[in-house]
């Protein structure tokens, strides 16, 4: 019998598009220090666009909502999304410069990032047609690299139409109760979870966050991910053991793949393992969107990991 191909989940992403300017160094510079890098790349990124590309490559029908500038970066950012199979009819072009992210990656795969919002700063409300695009999706992915009023407008619209709201609270900042009230799944990393709750232990932070949202996934880097839901025991899923080259956008890869897995109806533990496989592949490659795996690659690694767990 031929395996049934899962239906393509419909996912809308409201968020940032940035051109990532990535410098690779042996050791990141300290304040006032100048170091010599050994490579430089210009790579399409932005947390919103990254999640859109990750979801599209993972098998979803994805629509990107946001803004780029009138500059050459804007042209290249739109083209990169188009090439990844992401719909860009909801990606507006505004006066001025596109967003940029200035990233330093060290030889251990760690990174430090400075984001200059550019056109992303104009997304403080939904544009014409955005509400209909959100309403036609099954999931709305949100981050915090556009103004908070824009994030809240998207979340409220999704909630009103029964669309699942998945929020990545990055860059970390306090979140208004009205946004948390319309969030279905919150996906912070350890640092963001601590900023939101004041609790360094991920289990304690997840427990605290459940008083505001029904489900939480705390990403733990090389230690995997922790899932917590109200009235259920927390679940920890370890990450595959790999040698990281560049962790940029690993979290966005995870979120995009997780949204697809859940959209296909997978149970959360299985969805987390599949998303972790996608993230593990991404950290072994340089760049943001350029590092994100295609579905067949994630399926292959997930199958190998599943076989290795079988007694």
């Amino acid at each position: 019998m031929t395996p049934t191909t899962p239906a393509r989940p419909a996912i809308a992403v409201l968020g940032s598009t940035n051109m990532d300017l990535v410098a690779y160094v042996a050791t990141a510079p300290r304040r006032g220090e100048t170091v010599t890098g050994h490579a430089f790349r210009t790579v399409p990124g932005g947390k919103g666009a990254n999640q859109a590309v990750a979801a599209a490559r993972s098998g979803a029908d994805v629509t990107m909502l946001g803004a780029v500038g009138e500059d050459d970066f804007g042209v290249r950012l739109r083209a990169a999304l188009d090439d990844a199979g992401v719909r860009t009819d909801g990606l507006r072009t505004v006066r001025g410069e596109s967003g940029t992210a200035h990233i330093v990656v060290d030889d251990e795969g760690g990174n430090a990032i400075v984001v200059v919002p550019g056109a992303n700063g104009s997304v403080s409300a939904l544009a014409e047609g955005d509400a209909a695009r959100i309403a036609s999706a099954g999931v709305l992915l949100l981050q915090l690299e556009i103004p908070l009023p824009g994030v809240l407008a998207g979340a409220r619209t999704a909630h009103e139409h029964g669309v699942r709201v998945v929020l990545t609270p990055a860059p970390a900042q306090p979140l208004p109760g009205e946004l948390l009230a319309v969030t279905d799944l919150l996906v912070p990393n350890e640092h963001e979870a601590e900023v939101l709750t004041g609790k360094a232990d991920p289990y304690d932070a997840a427990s605290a966050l459940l008083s505001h949202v029904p489900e939480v996934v705390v990403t733990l880097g090389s230690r995997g991910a922790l899932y917590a839901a109200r009235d259920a025991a927390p679940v920890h899923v370890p990450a595959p053991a790999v040698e990281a080259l560049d962790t940029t956008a690993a979290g966005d890869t995870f979120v995009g793949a997780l949204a697809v897995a859940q959209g296909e109806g997978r149970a959360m533990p299985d969805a987390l393992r599949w998303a972790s496989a996608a993230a593990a592949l991404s950290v072994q490659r340089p760049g943001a969107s350029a590092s994100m795996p295609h579905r067949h690659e994630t399926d292959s690694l997930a199958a190998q990991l599943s076989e290795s767990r079988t007694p």
Side-chain angles (χ1 to χ4, degrees):
M1 180 180 294
T2 303
T4 302
T5 302
R8 288 170 62 86
I11 295 176
V13 182
L14 173 61
S16 59
T17 55
N18 292 324
M19 187 60 75
D20 292 347
L21 311 176
V22 190
Y24 294 88
V25 299
T27 304
R30 294 169 295 181
R31 184 174 182 178
E33 181 183 15
T34 298
V35 300
T36 299
H38 52 72
F40 175 78
R41 292 184 176 88
T42 304
V43 185
K47 295 194 72 63
N50 287 343
Q51 292 184 5
V53 171
R57 289 186 178 175
S58 295
D61 183 358
V62 182
T63 296
M64 181 72 205
L65 309 176
V68 294
E70 297 175 313
D71 54 3
D72 179 61
F73 283 166
V75 174
R76 292 169 59 186
L77 289 167
R78 185 182 297 276
L81 288 165
D82 288 336
D83 289 346
V86 176
R87 298 172 189 259
T88 58
D89 53 308
L91 184 64
R92 58 189 109 154
T93 298
V94 300
R95 290 185 177 181
E97 300 175 345
S98 298
T100 53
H102 305 257
I103 305 172
V104 175
V105 180
D106 63 35
D107 282 353
E108 294 183 357
N111 63 69
I113 306 173
V114 175
V115 174
V116 181
N120 298 305
S122 70
V123 189
S124 56
L126 298 183
E128 183 178 354
D130 284 355
R133 295 182 181 99
I134 292 171
S136 64
V139 178
L140 174 66
L141 300 183
L142 296 166
Q143 320 78 35
L144 301 177
E145 287 185 343
I146 62 172
L148 201 54
V151 175
L152 182 56
R156 283 173 168 165
T157 298
H159 184 73
E160 290 167 1
H161 290 89
V163 176
R164 181 172 172 80
V165 176
V166 178
L167 172 62
T168 303
Q173 60 183 274
L175 299 178
E178 54 190 335
L179 176 57
L180 292 169
V182 290
T183 296
D184 297 294
L185 173 63
L186 191 67
V187 191
N189 62 23
E190 286 183 271
H191 166 69
E192 292 150 4
E194 183 175 0
V195 169
L196 292 173
T197 65
K199 300 181 183 298
D201 182 87
Y203 285 85
D204 292 341
S207 178
L209 289 170
L210 289 178
S211 64
H212 302 286
V213 296
E215 294 179 276
V216 177
V217 172
V218 181
T219 58
L220 307 173
S222 62
R223 303 197 321 279
L226 170 66
Y227 171 68
R230 294 170 180 168
D231 303 320
V235 176
H236 174 245
V237 173
V242 298
E243 185 173 343
L245 171 66
D246 182 355
T247 58
T248 306
D252 295 327
T253 302
F254 177 90
V255 171
L258 179 63
V260 174
Q262 284 204 290
E264 293 174 353
R266 303 189 195 205
M268 183 57 87
D270 182 47
L272 289 170
R273 283 189 285 269
W274 196 75
S276 293
L281 288 167
S282 77
V283 302
Q284 298 177 73
R285 306 165 180 173
S289 59
S291 72
M292 295 173 175
H294 293 272
R295 184 185 181 94
H296 68 90
E297 297 175 295
T298 303
D299 282 341
S300 177
L301 178 57
Q304 293 175 33
L305 295 170
S306 178
E307 290 173 2
S308 68
R309 290 194 302 267
T310 303

